Amino acid sequence: MKGSRVVIDHVSKSFGDFHALDDINFTIEPGEFFSLLGPSGCGKTTLLRIIAGFEFPDDGVVLFDEKNVIPLPPNKRQSNTVFQTYALFPHLTVYENIAFPLRLRKVDEATIDQKVKEYIHLVQLDQHIDKKPSQLSGGQKQRVAIARALINEPKVLLLDEPLSALDAKLRANLLIDLDNLHDKIGITFIYVTHDQSEALAVSDRIAVMNFGKVLQVGTPFEIYESPATQFVAQFIGETNLFESTVVECTPHQTPGKDPDYMVTLHTPALGLQAQLKGDTQATKEEDKNILVTDYEHTNQGQKICFTIRPEKIRITLDEPDVHGRKDINVFKGIVEEPVYTGFQSKFYVRLENGTIIKVFKQHTNYLDDGPEIQWKDQVYVSWSAEDGYIVEDITK
């Protein structure tokens, strides 16, 4: 593997009374595409600058392949940085901008020419080799900056929100190119972004940060499907989040899956479940409860947070046929706000007790007369216990 293993070991950093980083610990494996994700001011750029050598930590070390690089200047760390602002020389051509690091090292002209053309081809700028930065688009400028950062063949490439200055469509295209480039060269990429869709799209793993702390490290799938905290659940994608109390937790075995627990939750914010046809009893106290499966044993009376992603909720005009299943949660409501976005519709449904719940419905077929569900329609929303997720214990 061409990339370095990067270890962030108990790194802390303060600026006066502001604690930018608070005891950060994680390891980035060789050749990983690793993203630091979080809102503005969470500490991700400070951490990147410490890895690059532009800032020094108050405590802790950064290791490249088990070597502490904190004492080393940026140019001795076998890493290079791509900035949001490109930092190109306006008076130099694409060729000369990319050649600049090699000229600093006094590499011979034949090698410079061979390597510059190789990297220009790698970032698909062959037709722009003699242009100045002012003649390039934003995306092309960023490609030049990436080629210049790569030409010294670093073991770690640091990318500080490199796409944030670009428009949405160009950003999406360049993101794919960046991922393909990573696959080709195989070095370690550390990518800073506040855009969760970017991080989910290209990362092998993600560290979600807030207020100078790392809240969770995991694959995009783990971060999205199994968020560790309320913040992670809300920051990554959209979700519905409710505080609940554990009523009961019993062992449960789903065929073909690992053993888990069926947890009964008392969730006042959701109100009473819908009474469906065939129910022989009137509304009862148990109708205030919902079911969720979980892999950890929770205790009766424990206060937790429960989340259900909008795309995992089914919305129908007719009463859902649950076939007698007890693990389906069903509520009635009114469509407060339908939002048509082309490939899907977002529905904000006001439940009978007044709580708003978000539901996404994918448009998989041609809509002859527009979406079937409209504003002010009475609807049923339902989801399986397997699709909910207990986020965290909030009694701590």
Side-chain angles (χ1 to χ4, degrees):
M1 185 66 69
K2 299 177 183 177
S4 288
R5 173 179 282 105
V6 180
V7 177
I8 313 301
D9 186 11
H10 294 285
V11 168
S12 296
K13 177 70 177 179
S14 295
F15 297 95
D17 294 333
F18 176 66
H19 300 293
L21 297 172
D22 184 5
D23 196 28
I24 304 297
N25 286 282
F26 56 81
T27 298
I28 302 169
E29 296 300 333
E32 265 197 307
F33 197 126
F34 191 95
S35 290
L36 303 176
L37 173 65
S40 297
C42 73
K44 55 189 186 296
T45 294
T46 299
L47 180 56
L48 193 81
R49 289 177 60 82
I50 287 173
I51 297 171
F54 302 129
E55 297 280 358
F56 292 94
D58 299 330
D59 295 295
V61 296
V62 175
L63 307 175
F64 283 15
D65 296 326
E66 302 183 3
K67 179 180 180 180
N68 180 15
V69 297
I70 293 300
L72 302 178
N75 63 322
K76 300 294 185 181
R77 295 194 179 194
Q78 291 191 302
S79 66
N80 272 333
T81 305
V82 177
F83 300 97
Q84 177 183 337
T85 54
Y86 317 132
L88 301 179
F89 299 110
H91 61 290
L92 298 182
T93 63
V94 168
Y95 182 101
E96 288 300 331
N97 262 285
I98 297 173
F100 185 78
L102 300 182
R103 295 201 189 284
L104 281 180
R105 291 167 44 201
K106 303 189 184 304
V107 176
D108 65 89
E109 283 300 321
T111 302
I112 289 176
D113 189 63
Q114 178 261 319
K115 288 184 69 68
V116 168
K117 288 178 179 177
E118 175 187 340
Y119 279 89
I120 283 177
H121 182 69
L122 190 65
V123 296
Q124 303 171 41
L125 287 174
D126 305 74
Q127 305 302 314
H128 307 279
I129 192 169
D130 295 319
K131 291 182 178 179
K132 301 282 183 66
S134 61
Q135 299 172 287
L136 303 175
S137 68
Q140 290 166 341
K141 290 176 185 176
Q142 197 57 282
R143 290 170 193 267
V144 176
I146 290 169
R148 186 180 60 185
L150 289 174
I151 201 164
N152 271 336
E153 298 182 348
K155 291 190 174 183
V156 180
L157 183 66
L158 308 171
L159 301 114
D160 188 9
E161 305 218 33
L163 310 182
S164 59
L166 307 177
D167 66 70
K169 198 163 189 177
L170 184 57
R171 190 163 63 242
N173 291 335
L174 194 53
L175 189 67
I176 294 171
D177 292 339
L178 194 59
D179 193 26
N180 290 334
L181 188 62
H182 171 260
D183 293 340
K184 288 178 182 176
I185 62 178
I187 66 171
T188 305
F189 276 27
I190 304 178
Y191 185 84
V192 163
T193 182
H194 64 273
D195 188 320
Q196 49 93 11
S197 61
E198 285 185 8
L200 290 174
V202 298
S203 306
D204 295 312
R205 286 190 304 146
I206 300 167
V208 182
M209 299 181 64
N210 197 30
F211 293 123
K213 294 180 178 291
V214 172
L215 303 182
Q216 186 173 1
V217 177
T219 66
F221 177 83
E222 290 167 344
I223 296 287
Y224 186 82
E225 295 288 349
S226 307
T229 68
Q230 295 181 56
F231 175 84
V232 176
Q234 292 174 308
F235 189 74
I236 306 295
E238 296 187 57
T239 197
N240 299 285
L241 198 64
F242 304 103
E243 293 186 2
S244 305
T245 303
V246 176
V247 176
E248 187 180 15
C249 181
T250 57
H252 177 254
Q253 177 66 64
T254 302
K257 296 188 176 181
D258 293 333
D260 52 28
Y261 295 91
M262 182 65 73
V263 184
T264 304
L265 299 178
H266 179 63
T267 311
L270 290 173
L272 298 174
Q273 291 211 42
Q275 190 173 358
L276 305 179
K277 293 174 185 176
D279 283 352
T280 56
Q281 294 177 290
T283 300
K284 49 194 179 301
E285 185 66 23
E286 299 91 88
D287 290 331
K288 296 180 182 178
N289 299 332
I290 64 167
L291 292 173
V292 61
T293 55
D294 191 43
Y295 288 98
E296 294 186 18
H297 185 274
T298 53
N299 299 312
Q300 185 176 6
Q302 187 174 336
K303 304 290 185 182
I304 58 90
C305 241
F306 154 78
T307 183
I308 178 71
R309 295 286 186 185
E311 71 274 10
K312 299 184 187 301
I313 302 175
R314 188 167 177 248
I315 182 169
T316 57
L317 293 170
D318 299 323
E319 180 180 302
D321 184 2
V322 299
H323 301 292
R325 290 176 58 181
K326 299 298 184 182
D327 61 336
I328 303 295
N329 304 292
V330 184
F331 294 86
K332 288 176 68 174
I334 301 292
V335 176
E336 189 79 5
E337 187 69 42
V339 180
Y340 176 76
T341 60
F343 70 96
Q344 71 176 6
S345 286
K346 299 182 179 182
F347 297 101
Y348 294 82
V349 178
R350 185 178 296 278
L351 303 183
E352 291 181 312
N353 74 333
T355 295
I356 298 291
I357 191 168
K358 289 181 287 189
V359 184
F360 296 168
K361 182 177 175 62
Q362 196 84 3
H363 299 313
T364 56
N365 299 311
Y366 176 72
L367 302 175
D368 193 20
D369 298 315
E372 177 188 22
I373 298 172
Q374 304 288 338
W375 180 57
K376 294 301 181 184
D377 279 346
Q378 180 174 291
V379 294
Y380 292 86
V381 294
S382 59
W383 66 89
S384 167
E386 291 187 351
D387 291 328
Y389 187 74
I390 292 177
V391 178
E392 64 177 326
D393 182 353
I394 57 175
T395 60
K396 297 176 181 178

